[in-house]
Amino acid sequence: ALGFTACDERGVAAGRIQTDRYIVGAYYYTWYPDNFGQGYLRRRLVPPQVPALGIYKSADVATAEQHIAWASRYGVDFFAVGWWPGREKQNQVLPRHFLKARNIGDVKFCIFYETWWLGFFPERGMTIFDVQKADRFVADMVSIAEKYFRHPSYLAVGGRPVVILYLGRTFTGGFEVAIERARRELR
């Protein structure tokens, strides 16, 4: 790792500062054009603006190629691609379109696992991991690993594949056991 020794205001060594480059990621939604109906920020500008690609489709290789080109050009290292339990059609955007982009090697990607769909209870503000949800979670992690972890563009940190779990702050019940089971099965 590159680094240098920092000094305080008196010139006394204060310790080593890490200068390794951070990796920068962006969330990648796979639900367009359907979610454009809920609105988007640029529509609220004066004057209103449409996205640079217009009302695009996530399920389009050319769209993925343009998004990857922009990410690569402007310093985004990886995309956290949404993956929803129970939304098979939406989950197919990744293998059928995004990963078919000719420039996929220009960025990394990882799975952003939407635990919301696993069973978030908004009225209670929690995602309760009962036996069925834990089983689903473990099966999903194994399936995701089999399909994506060996892809040359899959994001790994320290040689370990990355999966981002959405709404972790809401987990309750047997989530710790479910995560440990998934880790065990993936070893």
Side-chain angles (χ1 to χ4, degrees):
L2 299 173
F4 62 91
T5 302
C7 297
D8 65 16
E9 62 278 356
R10 297 167 298 158
V12 177
R16 186 173 165 90
I17 295 180
Q18 192 73 26
T19 59
D20 283 347
R21 185 177 169 276
Y22 289 99
I23 59 172
V24 175
Y27 187 84
Y28 196 84
Y29 295 101
T30 58
W31 56 33
Y32 291 110
D34 297 347
N35 268 32
F36 280 125
Q38 294 181 21
Y40 49 92
L41 182 60
R42 288 177 168 263
R43 189 166 69 184
R44 295 181 184 169
L45 296 175
V46 179
Q49 299 173 7
V50 296
L53 295 178
I55 305 302
Y56 62 84
K57 293 180 181 179
S58 300
D60 178 63
V61 175
T63 296
E65 288 174 349
Q66 182 59 68
H67 288 154
I68 291 167
W70 283 330
S72 177
R73 180 175 182 188
Y74 295 110
V76 175
D77 301 298
F78 75 94
F79 284 121
V81 180
W83 197 97
W84 294 73
R87 287 192 182 177
E88 194 55 35
K89 181 181 175 200
Q90 187 173 319
N91 292 339
Q92 289 304 311
V93 169
L94 177 60
R96 292 184 182 164
H97 306 283
F98 185 80
L99 295 181
K100 301 279 187 198
R102 292 178 303 219
N103 56 348
I104 187 62
D106 293 347
V107 295
K108 298 289 187 183
F109 76 96
C110 69
I111 297 297
F112 187 94
Y113 186 84
E114 300 275 3
T115 61
W116 173 278
W117 206 251
L118 196 60
F120 178 72
F121 295 98
E123 64 280 356
R124 295 172 71 188
M126 58 181 67
T127 305
I128 303 169
F129 275 74
D130 59 19
V131 172
Q132 292 81 17
K133 288 184 182 84
D135 288 347
R136 174 64 190 258
F137 174 80
V138 172
D140 286 345
M141 291 299 114
V142 169
S143 176
I144 287 166
E146 289 171 350
K147 290 177 184 172
Y148 302 114
F149 284 5
R150 287 187 179 90
H151 191 283
S153 289
Y154 199 86
L155 177 67
V157 174
R160 298 172 65 182
V162 174
V163 174
I164 299 169
L165 304 178
Y166 179 57
L167 283 177
R169 70 182 183 280
T170 71
F171 294 177
T172 188
F175 72 93
E176 293 158 326
V177 172
I179 291 171
E180 185 51 42
R181 271 183 54 208
R183 284 182 170 154
R184 221 177 15 256
E185 292 204 26
L186 294 176
R187 281 189 196 111

